[in-house]
Amino acid sequence: MKRAQKIILFVLLAFTVRLIISCCDCNNTVEAFDITQVEIYPIDNTGAYPQSANDTLYRKAIAFEIQVGDNQLQEFAIKKNSFSTFNELKACECVMSYKLNYSIDSITIITNRELSFIYPAKSDLSDKFYASKINWGNPGSLYQTLDELVEDINTYSLSDSRMYRFLVVLDKIYTNSDIVSFTFTFHMSNGEKIIGLSPDIYLTD
Amino acid sequence: MGKLLIAAFFVLSAQTGWSNSADSTKYELTVYSGIRTILCDSLPANTDLDLANTIMDEQPTAYIGLNLNVNWHPKFSTAIDWLIIDSYVFNNFRLSAQYNITEFFGLRAGYYSFDYFLQNEMDYFIDNYDKFFTRTITNPYIYEDDNFFQDRIKDQGFILGPVFKLEKPRFTFNLYLNWGITRHDKYNLSFVAKELNTNKKQKIVLETTKSQSPIFFPEFNLKYRFMQKRRLNLGLQIHGNIYYQDKIMNYEKTVYEWTDSNIDRLLVDSPRHRFFKYEIDIGIIFAW
Protein backbone atom coordinates (compact mmCIF):
# COMPACT_ATOMS: atom_id res chain seq x y z
CA MET A 1 0.00 0.00 0.00
CA LYS A 2 1.32 3.37 -0.91
CA ARG A 3 2.17 5.82 1.82
CA ALA A 4 -0.49 8.33 0.78
CA GLN A 5 -3.17 5.64 0.83
CA LYS A 6 -2.11 4.62 4.35
CA ILE A 7 -2.40 8.21 5.56
CA ILE A 8 -5.87 8.59 4.04
CA LEU A 9 -6.96 5.29 5.54
CA PHE A 10 -5.68 6.32 8.95
CA VAL A 11 -7.49 9.67 8.80
CA LEU A 12 -10.73 7.98 7.75
CA LEU A 13 -10.38 5.44 10.55
CA ALA A 14 -9.78 8.20 13.08
CA PHE A 15 -12.89 10.06 11.90
CA THR A 16 -14.97 6.89 12.13
CA VAL A 17 -13.83 6.16 15.68
CA ARG A 18 -14.47 9.77 16.65
CA LEU A 19 -17.95 9.63 15.16
CA ILE A 20 -18.89 6.44 16.96
CA ILE A 21 -17.71 7.44 20.39
CA SER A 22 -19.28 10.88 20.07
CA CYS A 23 -22.69 9.33 20.49
CA CYS A 24 -24.15 10.05 23.92
CA ASP A 25 -26.15 7.67 25.98
CA CYS A 26 -27.74 10.28 28.19
CA ASN A 27 -29.83 9.45 31.15
CA ASN A 28 -33.00 11.47 30.61
CA THR A 29 -34.29 11.32 34.15
CA VAL A 30 -35.28 14.55 35.84
CA GLU A 31 -33.79 15.00 39.29
CA ALA A 32 -35.77 16.64 42.06
CA PHE A 33 -34.45 19.36 44.35
CA ASP A 34 -35.75 21.41 47.27
CA ILE A 35 -35.94 25.17 47.55
CA THR A 36 -33.85 26.16 50.51
CA GLN A 37 -32.74 29.64 49.59
CA VAL A 38 -34.25 32.87 48.22
CA GLU A 39 -32.11 35.82 47.19
CA ILE A 40 -33.47 39.25 46.33
CA TYR A 41 -31.65 41.89 44.27
CA PRO A 42 -32.89 45.36 43.27
CA ILE A 43 -33.32 45.90 39.53
CA ASP A 44 -33.31 49.09 37.50
CA ASN A 45 -36.36 48.69 35.27
CA THR A 46 -36.67 52.31 34.12
CA GLY A 47 -35.29 51.65 30.66
CA ALA A 48 -36.23 49.21 27.97
CA TYR A 49 -34.26 46.37 29.53
CA PRO A 50 -33.93 45.35 33.19
CA GLN A 51 -30.46 46.05 34.58
CA SER A 52 -28.66 45.43 37.82
CA ALA A 53 -29.03 48.25 40.32
CA ASN A 54 -27.57 49.31 43.61
CA ASP A 55 -29.78 50.09 46.61
CA THR A 56 -31.55 53.04 44.97
CA LEU A 57 -34.56 52.70 42.67
CA TYR A 58 -36.83 55.05 40.82
CA ARG A 59 -40.09 55.40 42.76
CA LYS A 60 -42.31 54.51 39.78
CA ALA A 61 -40.21 51.50 38.80
CA ILE A 62 -39.66 49.33 41.88
CA ALA A 63 -38.39 45.97 40.68
CA PHE A 64 -36.47 43.00 42.05
CA GLU A 65 -34.73 39.96 40.70
CA ILE A 66 -35.56 36.85 42.67
CA GLN A 67 -33.28 33.85 42.66
CA VAL A 68 -34.77 30.79 44.24
CA GLY A 69 -33.22 27.35 44.47
CA ASP A 70 -31.23 25.04 46.68
CA ASN A 71 -28.04 25.74 48.64
CA GLN A 72 -25.89 25.48 45.56
CA LEU A 73 -27.38 28.20 43.40
CA GLN A 74 -25.82 28.24 39.93
CA GLU A 75 -24.57 24.70 40.28
CA PHE A 76 -24.03 22.97 37.00
CA ALA A 77 -24.71 19.35 36.51
CA ILE A 78 -22.07 16.69 36.36
CA LYS A 79 -21.81 15.46 32.83
CA LYS A 80 -22.64 11.84 32.64
CA ASN A 81 -20.75 9.75 30.19
CA SER A 82 -21.85 6.28 29.43
CA PHE A 83 -18.64 4.95 27.90
CA SER A 84 -15.99 3.81 30.28
CA THR A 85 -13.18 4.31 27.79
CA PHE A 86 -12.17 7.18 25.53
CA ASN A 87 -13.88 9.62 27.90
CA GLU A 88 -11.44 12.31 27.03
CA LEU A 89 -12.33 12.03 23.34
CA LYS A 90 -16.05 12.46 23.71
CA ALA A 91 -17.67 15.60 22.39
CA CYS A 92 -21.11 15.03 23.84
CA GLU A 93 -22.50 16.57 26.97
CA CYS A 94 -25.63 15.35 28.65
CA VAL A 95 -27.95 18.07 29.90
CA MET A 96 -29.28 17.47 33.37
CA SER A 97 -32.89 18.39 34.11
CA TYR A 98 -34.18 19.44 37.51
CA LYS A 99 -37.62 20.05 38.93
CA LEU A 100 -38.98 20.92 42.33
CA ASN A 101 -39.39 18.14 44.86
CA TYR A 102 -42.36 19.97 46.36
CA SER A 103 -44.38 22.40 44.29
CA ILE A 104 -44.99 26.00 45.26
CA ASP A 105 -48.50 26.77 46.47
CA SER A 106 -48.16 30.54 46.36
CA ILE A 107 -45.84 33.49 46.67
CA THR A 108 -46.67 36.36 48.98
CA ILE A 109 -44.99 39.74 49.12
CA ILE A 110 -45.35 41.75 52.33
CA THR A 111 -44.10 45.26 52.91
CA ASN A 112 -41.78 45.50 55.91
CA ARG A 113 -42.31 49.24 56.31
CA GLU A 114 -45.35 51.43 56.31
CA LEU A 115 -46.00 52.67 52.78
CA SER A 116 -48.99 54.87 53.57
CA PHE A 117 -52.04 55.07 55.78
CA ILE A 118 -53.72 52.49 53.54
CA TYR A 119 -50.70 50.19 53.46
CA PRO A 120 -49.16 49.95 56.92
CA ALA A 121 -46.23 47.66 57.65
CA LYS A 122 -47.00 43.94 57.11
CA SER A 123 -49.57 44.71 54.35
CA ASP A 124 -49.86 42.05 51.71
CA LEU A 125 -49.01 43.53 48.29
CA SER A 126 -48.90 40.26 46.35
CA ASP A 127 -51.63 41.31 43.94
CA LYS A 128 -49.79 44.58 43.23
CA PHE A 129 -46.76 42.82 41.82
CA TYR A 130 -46.28 41.33 38.36
CA ALA A 131 -43.55 38.95 37.34
CA SER A 132 -41.65 37.91 34.23
CA LYS A 133 -38.71 35.83 33.24
CA ILE A 134 -35.48 37.78 33.02
CA ASN A 135 -33.86 38.00 29.62
CA TRP A 136 -30.81 40.14 30.02
CA GLY A 137 -30.40 42.37 26.97
CA ASN A 138 -33.89 41.53 25.80
CA PRO A 139 -36.91 43.64 26.74
CA GLY A 140 -39.18 40.58 26.80
CA SER A 141 -42.92 40.47 26.41
CA LEU A 142 -45.67 41.15 28.94
CA TYR A 143 -45.66 40.23 32.63
CA GLN A 144 -47.48 37.46 34.43
CA THR A 145 -49.40 37.50 37.68
CA LEU A 146 -47.64 35.80 40.59
CA ASP A 147 -50.13 32.91 40.35
CA GLU A 148 -49.24 32.40 36.68
CA LEU A 149 -45.56 32.49 37.58
CA VAL A 150 -46.08 29.83 40.27
CA GLU A 151 -47.87 27.62 37.73
CA ASP A 152 -44.96 28.07 35.32
CA ILE A 153 -42.34 27.19 37.93
CA ASN A 154 -44.26 24.11 39.01
CA THR A 155 -44.71 22.94 35.42
CA TYR A 156 -41.34 23.42 33.83
CA SER A 157 -38.06 21.75 34.67
CA LEU A 158 -34.69 23.48 34.67
CA SER A 159 -31.71 22.54 32.51
CA ASP A 160 -28.27 22.36 34.10
CA SER A 161 -29.35 24.57 36.97
CA ARG A 162 -31.21 24.32 40.24
CA MET A 163 -32.19 27.96 40.37
CA TYR A 164 -35.22 29.86 39.08
CA ARG A 165 -34.62 33.53 38.28
CA PHE A 166 -37.35 36.00 37.61
CA LEU A 167 -38.28 39.65 37.81
CA VAL A 168 -41.04 41.05 40.00
CA VAL A 169 -42.25 44.60 39.52
CA LEU A 170 -44.65 46.81 41.45
CA ASP A 171 -47.49 48.14 39.30
CA LYS A 172 -47.61 51.73 40.58
CA ILE A 173 -46.60 54.13 43.35
CA TYR A 174 -47.96 53.27 46.79
CA THR A 175 -45.72 55.39 48.98
CA ASN A 176 -44.11 58.74 49.46
CA SER A 177 -41.60 57.41 51.95
CA ASP A 178 -37.95 57.22 50.97
CA ILE A 179 -37.18 53.66 52.04
CA VAL A 180 -39.01 50.43 51.27
CA SER A 181 -38.31 46.77 51.86
CA PHE A 182 -40.30 43.63 51.28
CA THR A 183 -40.50 40.05 52.48
CA PHE A 184 -40.95 37.38 49.82
CA THR A 185 -42.43 34.12 51.09
CA PHE A 186 -42.65 30.92 49.10
CA HIS A 187 -45.39 28.67 50.48
CA MET A 188 -44.44 25.10 49.58
CA SER A 189 -46.84 22.19 49.21
CA ASN A 190 -45.14 20.35 52.11
CA GLY A 191 -46.08 23.20 54.45
CA GLU A 192 -42.67 24.84 54.52
CA LYS A 193 -42.24 28.56 54.05
CA ILE A 194 -39.07 29.77 52.40
CA ILE A 195 -38.49 33.43 53.14
CA GLY A 196 -36.34 36.03 51.42
CA LEU A 197 -35.86 39.61 52.58
CA SER A 198 -35.12 42.45 50.23
CA PRO A 199 -32.49 44.91 51.34
CA ASP A 200 -33.62 48.42 52.27
CA ILE A 201 -34.25 50.25 49.00
CA TYR A 202 -33.93 54.01 48.74
CA LEU A 203 -36.43 55.67 46.41
CA THR A 204 -35.85 58.67 44.17
CA ASP A 205 -38.19 60.67 41.94
CA MET B 1 -82.59 28.07 -40.57
CA GLY B 2 -80.68 24.95 -41.61
CA LYS B 3 -77.92 27.07 -43.15
CA LEU B 4 -77.79 29.15 -39.99
CA LEU B 5 -77.35 26.05 -37.83
CA ILE B 6 -74.61 24.73 -40.12
CA ALA B 7 -72.86 28.11 -40.01
CA ALA B 8 -73.18 28.16 -36.21
CA PHE B 9 -71.75 24.65 -36.02
CA PHE B 10 -68.68 25.67 -38.02
CA VAL B 11 -68.15 28.80 -35.93
CA LEU B 12 -68.47 26.89 -32.66
CA SER B 13 -66.21 24.14 -33.92
CA ALA B 14 -63.37 26.53 -34.71
CA GLN B 15 -60.19 25.49 -32.99
CA THR B 16 -57.94 27.78 -31.02
CA GLY B 17 -54.30 28.80 -30.83
CA TRP B 18 -51.74 26.71 -32.55
CA SER B 19 -53.98 23.77 -32.11
CA ASN B 20 -55.98 25.27 -35.00
CA SER B 21 -53.41 24.36 -37.49
CA ALA B 22 -53.14 21.10 -39.25
CA ASP B 23 -50.15 20.20 -37.10
CA SER B 24 -52.06 20.83 -33.90
CA THR B 25 -50.20 20.89 -30.58
CA LYS B 26 -51.58 19.67 -27.32
CA TYR B 27 -48.93 20.94 -24.94
CA GLU B 28 -47.31 24.37 -24.71
CA LEU B 29 -44.50 25.00 -22.26
CA THR B 30 -43.44 28.64 -21.98
CA VAL B 31 -40.37 29.82 -20.12
CA TYR B 32 -40.52 33.54 -19.57
CA SER B 33 -38.92 36.41 -17.77
CA GLY B 34 -40.20 39.88 -17.03
CA ILE B 35 -40.65 42.67 -14.53
CA ARG B 36 -43.31 43.44 -11.96
CA THR B 37 -44.23 46.72 -10.33
CA ILE B 38 -46.59 47.28 -7.41
CA LEU B 39 -48.06 50.63 -6.44
CA CYS B 40 -50.43 51.27 -3.57
CA ASP B 41 -51.93 54.56 -2.42
CA SER B 42 -50.76 55.94 0.86
CA LEU B 43 -53.65 57.73 2.53
CA PRO B 44 -53.41 60.47 5.13
CA ALA B 45 -53.69 59.40 8.75
CA ASN B 46 -57.24 58.77 9.86
CA THR B 47 -58.50 57.95 13.32
CA ASP B 48 -56.71 54.62 13.51
CA LEU B 49 -53.75 52.79 12.08
CA ASP B 50 -54.12 51.94 8.39
CA LEU B 51 -52.16 48.78 7.62
CA ALA B 52 -52.45 49.23 3.85
CA ASN B 53 -50.26 52.32 4.24
CA THR B 54 -47.36 49.99 4.96
CA ILE B 55 -47.62 48.09 1.66
CA MET B 56 -44.32 48.53 -0.10
CA ASP B 57 -44.33 50.22 -3.49
CA GLU B 58 -42.29 47.78 -5.51
CA GLN B 59 -39.89 49.13 -8.07
CA PRO B 60 -39.67 47.07 -11.28
CA THR B 61 -38.58 43.67 -10.02
CA ALA B 62 -37.45 40.82 -12.24
CA TYR B 63 -39.16 37.47 -12.24
CA ILE B 64 -38.97 34.25 -14.14
CA GLY B 65 -41.83 31.93 -14.76
CA LEU B 66 -43.08 28.73 -16.28
CA ASN B 67 -46.38 28.23 -18.01
CA LEU B 68 -47.84 24.92 -19.02
CA ASN B 69 -50.86 25.08 -21.28
CA VAL B 70 -52.72 21.92 -22.21
CA ASN B 71 -55.25 21.92 -25.05
CA TRP B 72 -57.45 19.04 -23.97
CA HIS B 73 -59.93 19.69 -26.71
CA PRO B 74 -60.12 22.24 -29.50
CA LYS B 75 -62.54 24.19 -27.34
CA PHE B 76 -61.10 23.59 -23.92
CA SER B 77 -57.70 24.22 -22.41
CA THR B 78 -56.16 24.61 -19.00
CA ALA B 79 -53.04 26.43 -17.92
CA ILE B 80 -50.83 26.68 -14.89
CA ASP B 81 -48.29 29.43 -14.21
CA TRP B 82 -45.53 29.49 -11.59
CA LEU B 83 -43.46 32.57 -10.94
CA ILE B 84 -40.31 33.13 -8.95
CA ILE B 85 -39.96 36.68 -7.74
CA ASP B 86 -37.53 38.05 -5.15
CA SER B 87 -36.81 34.59 -3.72
CA TYR B 88 -35.87 31.12 -4.86
CA VAL B 89 -39.28 29.57 -4.43
CA PHE B 90 -42.28 29.52 -6.73
CA ASN B 91 -44.37 31.72 -4.46
CA ASN B 92 -46.72 33.07 -7.13
CA PHE B 93 -48.96 30.94 -9.25
CA ARG B 94 -52.09 30.94 -11.33
CA LEU B 95 -54.49 28.22 -12.54
CA SER B 96 -56.96 28.80 -15.32
CA ALA B 97 -59.38 27.03 -17.62
CA GLN B 98 -60.59 28.42 -20.89
CA TYR B 99 -63.59 27.51 -23.01
CA ASN B 100 -63.70 28.82 -26.57
CA ILE B 101 -67.23 29.61 -27.65
CA THR B 102 -66.31 30.86 -31.11
CA GLU B 103 -63.16 31.40 -33.14
CA PHE B 104 -62.87 34.89 -31.72
CA PHE B 105 -64.45 34.64 -28.33
CA GLY B 106 -64.19 32.52 -25.22
CA LEU B 107 -64.49 32.51 -21.46
CA ARG B 108 -61.80 31.97 -18.90
CA ALA B 109 -61.97 31.27 -15.17
CA GLY B 110 -59.08 30.97 -12.82
CA TYR B 111 -57.47 31.14 -9.43
CA TYR B 112 -54.31 33.03 -8.56
CA SER B 113 -52.04 33.74 -5.65
CA PHE B 114 -49.18 36.18 -5.28
CA ASP B 115 -47.35 37.88 -2.46
CA TYR B 116 -45.72 41.21 -1.78
CA PHE B 117 -43.93 43.02 1.01
CA LEU B 118 -44.83 45.44 3.73
CA GLN B 119 -42.25 48.02 4.65
CA ASN B 120 -41.41 50.14 7.67
CA GLU B 121 -44.48 48.94 9.56
CA MET B 122 -42.49 49.28 12.77
CA ASP B 123 -41.63 52.93 12.01
CA TYR B 124 -45.20 53.64 10.98
CA PHE B 125 -46.40 52.15 14.23
CA ILE B 126 -43.93 54.10 16.35
CA ASP B 127 -44.60 57.37 14.52
CA ASN B 128 -48.31 57.03 15.06
CA TYR B 129 -48.38 55.37 18.47
CA ASP B 130 -49.61 58.42 20.33
CA LYS B 131 -52.34 59.07 17.85
CA PHE B 132 -53.74 55.64 17.23
CA PHE B 133 -53.50 53.74 20.48
CA THR B 134 -54.84 54.01 23.96
CA ARG B 135 -52.82 56.72 25.56
CA THR B 136 -52.32 54.95 28.82
CA ILE B 137 -48.61 54.91 28.17
CA THR B 138 -46.55 58.03 27.79
CA ASN B 139 -42.92 58.03 26.76
CA PRO B 140 -43.03 54.46 25.39
CA TYR B 141 -40.16 52.34 24.17
CA ILE B 142 -41.71 50.25 21.40
CA TYR B 143 -40.40 46.99 20.02
CA GLU B 144 -41.74 44.10 18.00
CA ASP B 145 -42.84 41.18 20.12
CA ASP B 146 -41.26 38.58 17.86
CA ASN B 147 -37.95 38.80 16.10
CA PHE B 148 -38.27 41.40 13.42
CA PHE B 149 -38.20 40.40 9.80
CA GLN B 150 -39.75 41.97 6.78
CA ASP B 151 -43.33 40.81 6.53
CA ARG B 152 -45.06 39.74 3.37
CA ILE B 153 -48.71 39.31 2.55
CA LYS B 154 -50.30 36.86 0.16
CA ASP B 155 -53.31 37.75 -1.96
CA GLN B 156 -55.43 35.10 -3.58
CA GLY B 157 -58.61 35.27 -5.58
CA PHE B 158 -60.85 34.01 -8.33
CA ILE B 159 -61.23 35.55 -11.75
CA LEU B 160 -63.71 35.17 -14.59
CA GLY B 161 -63.88 37.02 -17.87
CA PRO B 162 -64.24 37.06 -21.62
CA VAL B 163 -61.38 36.20 -23.96
CA PHE B 164 -61.03 37.92 -27.33
CA LYS B 165 -58.85 36.03 -29.80
CA LEU B 166 -57.25 36.77 -33.11
CA GLU B 167 -55.46 33.96 -34.90
CA LYS B 168 -53.24 33.83 -37.95
CA PRO B 169 -51.08 30.93 -39.14
CA ARG B 170 -48.07 32.16 -37.19
CA PHE B 171 -49.61 34.69 -34.79
CA THR B 172 -52.07 34.40 -31.97
CA PHE B 173 -53.30 37.36 -29.97
CA ASN B 174 -55.44 36.93 -26.85
CA LEU B 175 -57.01 39.68 -24.79
CA TYR B 176 -58.45 38.68 -21.42
CA LEU B 177 -60.77 41.00 -19.51
CA ASN B 178 -60.75 39.31 -16.15
CA TRP B 179 -62.90 40.38 -13.25
CA GLY B 180 -62.87 38.77 -9.90
CA ILE B 181 -62.71 38.89 -6.18
CA THR B 182 -59.69 38.69 -3.96
CA ARG B 183 -58.69 38.61 -0.34
CA HIS B 184 -55.42 38.56 1.52
CA ASP B 185 -54.37 35.88 3.94
CA LYS B 186 -54.59 36.54 7.64
CA TYR B 187 -51.66 38.45 8.89
CA ASN B 188 -50.69 39.90 12.22
CA LEU B 189 -48.31 42.38 13.78
CA SER B 190 -47.46 42.42 17.44
CA PHE B 191 -45.73 45.21 19.32
CA VAL B 192 -44.86 45.78 22.94
CA ALA B 193 -44.56 49.24 24.46
CA LYS B 194 -42.61 49.64 27.70
CA GLU B 195 -43.20 52.92 29.48
CA LEU B 196 -39.86 54.42 30.33
CA ASN B 197 -39.26 55.26 34.00
CA THR B 198 -42.05 52.94 35.13
CA ASN B 199 -42.69 49.20 35.05
CA LYS B 200 -45.75 49.41 32.82
CA LYS B 201 -46.02 47.40 29.59
CA GLN B 202 -48.64 47.26 26.91
CA LYS B 203 -48.87 44.88 23.98
CA ILE B 204 -50.80 45.62 20.80
CA VAL B 205 -51.68 42.86 18.37
CA LEU B 206 -53.12 43.74 14.98
CA GLU B 207 -54.66 40.78 13.17
CA THR B 208 -56.15 41.35 9.77
CA THR B 209 -59.61 40.06 9.11
CA LYS B 210 -60.54 38.46 5.79
CA SER B 211 -61.61 41.43 3.70
CA GLN B 212 -62.76 40.81 0.12
CA SER B 213 -62.15 43.29 -2.65
CA PRO B 214 -63.24 43.30 -6.30
CA ILE B 215 -60.48 43.23 -8.90
CA PHE B 216 -60.10 44.10 -12.54
CA PHE B 217 -57.31 42.17 -14.18
CA PRO B 218 -56.96 42.78 -17.95
CA GLU B 219 -54.27 40.71 -19.61
CA PHE B 220 -52.91 40.06 -23.08
CA ASN B 221 -50.52 37.71 -24.80
CA LEU B 222 -49.08 37.70 -28.29
CA LYS B 223 -47.58 34.48 -29.61
CA TYR B 224 -45.45 34.09 -32.70
CA ARG B 225 -44.37 30.72 -34.04
CA PHE B 226 -41.04 30.98 -35.80
CA MET B 227 -39.96 27.38 -36.19
CA GLN B 228 -41.48 23.97 -36.70
CA LYS B 229 -39.40 20.79 -36.67
CA ARG B 230 -41.28 17.55 -36.93
CA ARG B 231 -43.74 17.70 -34.03
CA LEU B 232 -41.95 20.42 -32.08
CA ASN B 233 -42.91 24.07 -32.54
CA LEU B 234 -40.89 26.95 -31.20
CA GLY B 235 -42.27 30.40 -30.64
CA LEU B 236 -42.02 33.69 -28.83
CA GLN B 237 -44.53 35.19 -26.45
CA ILE B 238 -45.07 38.68 -25.11
CA HIS B 239 -47.43 38.82 -22.17
CA GLY B 240 -48.58 41.62 -19.92
CA ASN B 241 -51.25 42.42 -17.39
CA ILE B 242 -52.57 45.12 -15.13
CA TYR B 243 -54.05 44.12 -11.82
CA TYR B 244 -56.22 46.62 -10.02
CA GLN B 245 -58.07 46.32 -6.75
CA ASP B 246 -59.57 48.55 -4.10
CA LYS B 247 -57.38 47.25 -1.33
CA ILE B 248 -58.84 47.10 2.13
CA MET B 249 -57.10 45.79 5.22
CA ASN B 250 -59.54 45.68 8.11
CA TYR B 251 -58.14 44.27 11.30
CA GLU B 252 -58.82 43.43 14.88
CA LYS B 253 -56.80 45.40 17.38
CA THR B 254 -56.17 43.79 20.75
CA VAL B 255 -54.53 45.79 23.50
CA TYR B 256 -53.05 43.96 26.49
CA GLU B 257 -52.00 45.81 29.60
CA TRP B 258 -49.46 44.33 32.01
CA THR B 259 -50.48 40.70 31.34
CA ASP B 260 -51.97 38.55 28.59
CA SER B 261 -55.21 38.26 30.53
CA ASN B 262 -56.00 41.98 30.64
CA ILE B 263 -57.50 42.47 27.17
CA ASP B 264 -59.27 45.21 25.27
CA ARG B 265 -60.46 44.34 21.72
CA LEU B 266 -61.60 46.54 18.89
CA LEU B 267 -62.49 45.90 15.25
CA VAL B 268 -61.08 48.54 12.92
CA ASP B 269 -62.48 49.29 9.46
CA SER B 270 -59.83 50.73 7.18
CA PRO B 271 -60.33 52.87 4.09
CA ARG B 272 -59.86 51.45 0.60
CA HIS B 273 -56.60 52.01 -1.24
CA ARG B 274 -55.96 51.87 -4.97
CA PHE B 275 -53.60 48.95 -5.51
CA PHE B 276 -51.95 48.32 -8.90
CA LYS B 277 -49.71 45.53 -10.08
CA TYR B 278 -48.15 45.61 -13.55
CA GLU B 279 -46.38 42.72 -15.19
CA ILE B 280 -44.79 42.39 -18.57
CA ASP B 281 -42.67 39.50 -19.75
CA ILE B 282 -41.25 37.79 -22.79
CA GLY B 283 -40.78 34.08 -23.21
CA ILE B 284 -39.97 31.13 -25.43
CA ILE B 285 -42.71 28.64 -26.24
CA PHE B 286 -42.10 24.95 -26.77
CA ALA B 287 -45.18 23.27 -28.20
CA TRP B 288 -45.73 19.66 -29.20
Side-chain angles (χ1 to χ4, degrees):
Chain A
M1 196 180 285
K2 289 179 182 174
R3 193 173 178 183
Q5 286 175 319
K6 284 179 186 173
I7 291 169
I8 291 169
L9 196 64
F10 177 77
V11 170
L12 283 176
L13 193 65
F15 270 117
T16 310
V17 170
R18 182 75 178 79
L19 201 64
I20 291 168
I21 64 172
S22 293
C23 300
C24 284
D25 183 16
C26 293
N27 184 357
N28 290 325
T29 56
V30 179
E31 291 192 7
F33 72 100
D34 294 318
I35 290 181
T36 56
Q37 197 173 343
V38 180
E39 292 184 5
I40 318 289
Y41 301 99
I43 289 290
D44 176 3
N45 197 39
T46 55
Y49 317 105
Q51 293 179 353
S52 299
N54 52 23
D55 59 356
T56 304
L57 293 179
Y58 199 68
R59 188 181 304 278
K60 292 179 182 173
I62 295 173
F64 298 97
E65 180 190 352
I66 299 187
Q67 296 183 358
V68 55
D70 70 2
N71 284 326
Q72 294 169 300
L73 294 178
Q74 293 274 21
E75 179 182 334
F76 286 92
I78 300 162
K79 311 300 176 204
K80 291 187 177 177
N81 292 314
S82 57
F83 289 90
S84 57
T85 55
F86 302 118
N87 272 354
E88 68 282 1
L89 290 175
K90 288 181 184 176
C92 72
E93 288 185 350
C94 295
V95 175
M96 292 294 295
S97 295
Y98 297 97
K99 66 170 188 178
L100 289 178
N101 208 5
Y102 297 101
S103 60
I104 300 169
D105 280 345
S106 64
I107 300 171
T108 54
I109 303 175
I110 307 289
T111 175
N112 299 332
R113 294 169 175 269
E114 180 179 310
L115 299 181
S116 66
F117 178 71
I118 302 169
Y119 298 105
K122 306 298 177 191
S123 297
D124 186 345
L125 296 180
S126 306
D127 61 342
K128 311 285 188 278
F129 276 88
Y130 292 107
S132 73
K133 294 186 180 72
I134 289 188
N135 298 309
W136 301 108
N138 181 340
S141 193
L142 291 178
Y143 303 107
Q144 300 171 292
T145 62
L146 290 183
D147 288 342
E148 288 167 339
L149 177 78
V150 165
E151 195 178 326
D152 261 13
I153 292 177
N154 289 334
T155 309
Y156 297 110
S157 56
L158 294 166
S159 294
D160 276 351
S161 170
R162 297 205 289 258
M163 178 181 70
Y164 292 96
R165 302 173 67 179
F166 48 88
L167 181 77
V168 292
V169 300
L170 193 57
D171 60 357
K172 60 183 181 188
I173 301 171
Y174 290 97
T175 183
N176 289 321
S177 63
D178 293 334
I179 304 175
V180 292
S181 81
F182 300 93
T183 299
F184 296 79
T185 307
F186 288 74
H187 303 266
M188 309 302 295
S189 60
N190 63 349
E192 267 193 273
K193 290 180 183 176
I194 317 297
I195 295 172
L197 293 176
S198 78
D200 280 345
I201 301 297
Y202 300 91
L203 301 180
T204 62
D205 291 312
Chain B
M1 185 64 181
K3 286 180 181 175
L4 196 64
L5 281 175
I6 291 168
F9 173 80
F10 276 107
V11 169
L12 291 171
S13 302
Q15 297 184 354
T16 61
W18 291 347
S19 57
N20 279 354
S21 53
D23 37 83
S24 64
T25 57
K26 182 173 182 182
Y27 301 101
E28 282 178 28
L29 178 69
T30 309
V31 183
Y32 55 91
S33 178
I35 51 172
R36 180 180 92 168
T37 298
I38 286 178
L39 297 172
C40 184
D41 275 354
S42 185
L43 299 180
N46 203 337
T47 52
D48 222 316
L49 193 71
D50 185 353
L51 280 181
N53 268 347
T54 65
I55 291 172
M56 186 171 83
D57 279 349
E58 189 178 280
Q59 299 306 310
T61 305
Y63 61 82
I64 57 172
L66 275 177
N67 166 278
L68 178 64
N69 190 76
V70 183
N71 297 304
W72 300 100
H73 180 270
K75 283 178 166 293
F76 181 71
S77 64
T78 57
I80 182 165
D81 270 88
W82 292 283
L83 261 74
I84 295 178
I85 187 160
D86 62 46
S87 69
Y88 296 102
V89 290
F90 287 100
N91 47 8
N92 294 258
F93 71 96
R94 191 158 66 219
L95 302 169
S96 61
Q98 181 173 330
Y99 181 74
N100 300 307
I101 298 168
T102 71
E103 184 180 357
F104 304 107
F105 180 73
L107 280 176
R108 188 171 71 152
Y111 164 82
Y112 68 88
S113 167
F114 70 93
D115 60 7
Y116 48 94
F117 285 108
L118 298 185
Q119 69 170 0
N120 300 330
E121 59 271 30
M122 183 81 178
D123 293 340
Y124 181 65
F125 185 94
I126 291 170
D127 291 346
N128 295 290
Y129 180 83
D130 280 351
K131 183 167 185 178
F132 295 127
F133 290 87
T134 51
R135 299 198 61 181
T136 53
I137 281 190
T138 52
N139 194 18
Y141 171 80
I142 300 169
Y143 52 96
E144 198 155 10
D145 198 24
D146 303 316
N147 288 331
F148 182 79
F149 55 91
Q150 191 172 22
D151 294 299
R152 56 166 86 210
I153 297 185
K154 188 166 76 176
D155 272 19
Q156 49 188 325
F158 293 96
I159 48 173
L160 177 68
V163 183
F164 300 96
K165 297 144 45 69
L166 186 62
E167 292 178 351
K168 297 291 176 189
R170 283 180 175 270
F171 284 96
T172 307
F173 177 77
N174 294 301
L175 177 66
Y176 308 93
L177 297 179
N178 303 312
W179 296 85
I181 192 153
T182 186
R183 75 177 183 196
H184 52 79
D185 281 0
K186 270 197 168 185
Y187 162 77
N188 67 64
L189 284 170
S190 178
F191 299 96
V192 178
K194 160 82 170 60
E195 188 169 58
L196 298 178
N197 296 324
T198 77
N199 290 320
K200 191 167 190 176
K201 280 184 178 178
Q202 192 180 67
K203 183 167 82 172
I204 294 103
V205 178
L206 311 176
E207 187 171 30
T208 58
T209 54
K210 291 180 175 173
S211 323
Q212 283 83 7
S213 307
I215 56 166
F216 179 49
F217 190 10
E219 191 174 9
F220 80 91
N221 66 39
L222 177 64
K223 297 176 181 179
Y224 169 65
R225 181 176 64 182
F226 61 83
M227 201 182 91
Q228 180 181 14
K229 277 241 170 161
R230 294 185 183 170
R231 293 192 59 200
L232 179 67
N233 291 269
L234 287 180
L236 282 176
Q237 172 185 274
I238 297 175
H239 161 262
N241 65 57
I242 298 172
Y243 174 96
Y244 170 78
Q245 68 160 297
D246 274 338
K247 185 97 190 149
I248 187 164
M249 291 182 76
N250 295 337
Y251 59 90
E252 184 181 74
K253 179 173 77 179
T254 311
V255 181
Y256 303 83
E257 282 203 356
W258 292 100
T259 69
D260 283 327
S261 48
N262 186 7
I263 297 174
D264 182 20
R265 270 208 182 90
L266 178 70
L267 279 173
V268 178
D269 288 334
S270 295
R272 292 189 178 273
H273 293 239
R274 289 186 303 167
F275 178 97
F276 288 96
K277 175 168 71 77
Y278 308 95
E279 288 176 347
I280 186 145
D281 52 68
I282 185 164
I284 299 174
I285 308 169
F286 303 88
W288 64 96

